[in-house]
Amino acid sequence: MYKVDLPVDESEQRAVERRRAAEAERKNRIFNSRSRVIGVDLRALHKQQDEKRERLEMEKQRDMAHDLLRLSLDETALQQKKEEDELRRELAQDMIKFRAIHQRPEDSRDADINYDRQEAPDAGISVSGSALGPASMQVFLGEGINENEKKRAEMEMNERNLRAQKEEREKQEREKKNRELLTDRELVEKDLRAVQLNALEEECKRVARIELSRYNQDQAEERIERERQERLRREGEDLAELRYTVTSDLLTERPEAAKRVTESSAEGPRVLTDRWKGMTPQQISDIHRKRDEQCLEKERLREMERQRDLAWDYHLTERARQQEREETRDKGLQRERRAQLDKYNQQLAREQQEHQEYLDRQLYTNRPKVQYFTQFNTSSR
């Protein structure tokens, strides 16, 4: 027989490894205190969620505010850059214009070399070309070919650029003038509107002043009429009082006036104090008799009040004594109940101590050790 090396079946080993990994994951999930949901404080978790939501909302609002601020700063920076570019362009145009007017190439010192005033190559040479060296050369090979056409084209291009810049500048000036005209027109319209509003306001004020003047005039007329009516009424009352005083009993001095029976008095004759001449002896004796009767009545009432106070004090004393006896009896009963309760507590303490000694010495003799507690929670099953 030949020995054949057959392939080893690793499916069972992979299944064992898979079960071991699942068991490790299960242990990690069960024994991990952070992932368990037993005893979770839901109120605290909801509060944390609300705080996190509020914090995210505040951060979102702050980011939006920062974005708006960034946009405004960007717009400001772009506007400043645009203004700087415009100023730089205007300065460049002014520089080009200044150079075209005051720094022309044909006005330079070497204009006779590069432009039409240059002479022939050998016009300024007084000696022969063979007697001169390389340092004495004035015109080189290739120079001066189509130089006039190049300069003319360059001048035409500069002229076109200057014309375009001039047109652009005139266009900008026209636009600026149009904007100024529109601004002036808006200002004129606003001024006209303000003038109209002021005129309307003045007209309203004038009408209000007229109405106020009319109202004040009516009030003044009513006040004058009321004062006239009041003056007439006062004069009438003064005349009536004067007539009554002249015809009254005070000036006539009649003795019967002090005992006149009035219509409003239902008790008989009424004494008028302004006409009274004094009391009679009979009236004086009646007053003394009434005073004596009142003194006797007051003394009787004072004696009755004293007797009632004595009776009330005696009643209060008896009530206080009875209450003191009841308090003494209640204190004795409380002492007896406290003594009985102390005896009952002592009996309960003895019984509890005997029961604890029974538990410690007879019942719980085989106490569990550490190995008993370590055998739990070793597996997820």
Side-chain angles (χ1 to χ4, degrees):
M1 296 296 294
Y2 295 99
K3 184 178 180 180
V4 181
D5 294 333
L6 297 176
V8 180
D9 189 6
E10 297 180 356
S11 60
E12 184 176 357
Q13 186 176 359
R14 286 196 299 270
V16 172
E17 293 294 335
R18 186 169 58 254
R19 285 196 296 272
R20 287 178 180 175
E23 181 68 18
E25 184 180 359
R26 181 181 174 86
K27 285 183 179 181
N28 188 19
R29 186 175 64 256
I30 292 176
F31 296 108
N32 189 6
S33 60
R34 294 179 62 86
S35 61
R36 287 182 299 184
V37 296
I38 300 175
V40 175
D41 191 359
L42 294 178
R43 186 179 298 175
L45 292 178
H46 293 325
K47 184 178 180 181
Q48 292 177 1
Q49 290 179 356
D50 295 337
E51 290 177 355
K52 185 177 181 180
R53 192 179 300 109
E54 292 177 359
R55 186 172 64 256
L56 293 176
E57 185 67 22
M58 291 177 63
E59 291 178 357
K60 184 178 179 181
Q61 295 293 335
R62 186 172 62 253
D63 293 339
M64 292 175 64
H66 289 170
D67 293 337
L68 294 176
L69 180 60
R70 192 183 303 108
L71 290 175
S72 63
L73 293 177
D74 292 340
E75 291 178 358
T76 305
L78 290 174
Q79 186 67 24
Q80 291 180 357
K81 185 177 179 182
K82 185 177 180 180
E83 293 177 357
E84 290 178 357
D85 293 341
E86 184 70 20
L87 182 59
R88 191 178 292 107
R89 189 174 62 81
E90 292 179 357
L91 291 176
Q93 291 179 358
D94 294 339
M95 183 63 70
I96 293 173
K97 186 176 180 181
F98 177 79
R99 289 177 178 175
I101 296 174
H102 301 285
Q103 294 182 356
R104 297 184 301 174
E106 56 269 20
D107 295 337
S108 61
R109 292 183 298 178
D110 54 353
D112 55 347
I113 300 175
N114 299 323
Y115 289 90
D116 296 335
R117 289 181 292 175
Q118 62 182 358
E119 299 177 356
D122 54 349
I125 301 175
S126 59
V127 295
S128 62
S130 60
L132 299 175
S136 301
M137 297 179 63
Q138 296 184 2
V139 179
F140 297 92
L141 183 61
E143 289 184 356
I145 300 176
N146 296 327
E147 187 69 21
N148 296 328
E149 289 78 2
K150 292 179 181 179
K151 297 301 179 179
R152 189 178 298 106
E154 186 176 357
M155 291 177 66
E156 291 177 356
M157 184 177 65
N158 292 333
E159 186 177 357
R160 286 195 301 271
N161 293 333
L162 290 174
R163 190 181 299 109
Q165 292 176 3
K166 183 177 180 181
E167 293 176 355
E168 182 68 22
R169 184 65 175 272
E170 291 177 354
K171 181 180 179 182
Q172 292 178 358
E173 290 180 354
R174 287 195 301 273
E175 292 178 354
K176 184 177 180 181
K177 187 179 295 183
N178 292 330
R179 287 195 300 268
E180 291 177 353
L181 290 175
L182 291 175
T183 304
D184 295 338
R185 185 177 299 173
E186 291 178 357
L187 292 176
V188 170
E189 291 178 356
K190 290 182 179 179
D191 293 339
L192 291 176
R193 182 63 177 171
V195 170
Q196 294 176 358
L197 293 175
N198 290 330
L200 291 175
E201 185 176 1
E202 291 296 332
E203 182 66 20
C204 293
K205 288 182 179 180
R206 188 180 63 80
V207 173
R209 286 195 297 270
I210 293 173
E211 294 295 330
L212 182 60
S213 300
R214 186 180 294 110
Y215 175 75
N216 292 332
Q217 186 176 0
D218 295 339
Q219 292 291 327
E221 292 177 357
E222 291 179 1
R223 182 173 58 81
I224 292 171
E225 183 64 24
R226 285 197 304 270
E227 290 178 354
R228 190 178 66 80
Q229 295 293 336
E230 183 68 21
R231 186 173 62 256
L232 294 176
R233 184 183 63 79
R234 193 181 303 110
E235 290 176 356
E237 291 178 355
D238 292 341
L239 290 175
E241 184 178 1
L242 181 60
R243 187 182 301 108
Y244 176 76
T245 303
V246 170
T247 59
S248 65
D249 295 334
L250 179 64
L251 298 179
T252 58
E253 297 182 355
R254 290 188 305 169
E256 296 82 4
K259 297 181 179 180
R260 179 179 298 178
V261 178
T262 60
E263 296 178 358
S264 61
S265 178
E267 297 178 357
R270 179 183 176 186
V271 176
L272 303 178
T273 57
D274 56 346
R275 300 171 180 81
W276 186 55
K277 303 300 181 179
M279 292 188 299
T280 62
Q282 183 65 29
Q283 292 176 346
I284 294 173
S285 62
D286 292 339
I287 289 173
H288 287 296
R289 184 173 54 81
K290 286 285 185 181
R291 185 182 64 184
D292 295 337
E293 291 177 358
Q294 290 176 358
C295 289
L296 293 175
E297 183 67 21
K298 188 174 183 180
E299 185 67 23
R300 188 179 63 81
L301 292 175
R302 188 181 294 111
E303 184 64 23
M304 290 177 62
E305 184 71 20
R306 189 175 64 83
Q307 294 294 333
R308 187 167 58 250
D309 292 339
L310 290 175
W312 182 251
D313 293 338
Y314 176 76
H315 177 69
L316 291 177
T317 304
E318 291 297 327
R319 287 289 303 274
R321 290 175 182 176
Q322 183 179 359
Q323 186 176 3
E324 186 177 358
R325 288 194 297 268
E326 290 179 356
E327 290 179 356
T328 304
R329 186 171 61 254
D330 292 339
K331 289 181 180 178
L333 293 175
Q334 288 180 2
R335 283 196 299 271
E336 292 178 359
R337 286 197 297 270
R338 189 178 295 109
Q340 293 177 1
L341 183 61
D342 292 340
K343 291 180 182 179
Y344 181 70
N345 290 334
Q346 291 176 1
Q347 183 180 357
L348 289 178
R350 286 195 300 270
E351 292 177 358
Q352 185 178 5
Q353 186 177 3
E354 292 175 358
H355 182 67
Q356 188 66 34
E357 290 178 355
Y358 168 74
L359 293 177
D360 294 339
R361 297 180 180 179
Q362 298 181 13
L363 186 60
Y364 298 143
T365 56
N366 187 14
R367 293 183 177 277
K369 297 183 180 180
V370 180
Q371 290 80 8
Y372 175 77
F373 295 102
T374 56
Q375 65 181 346
F376 298 104
N377 290 335
T378 58
S379 175
S380 62
R381 302 295 179 181

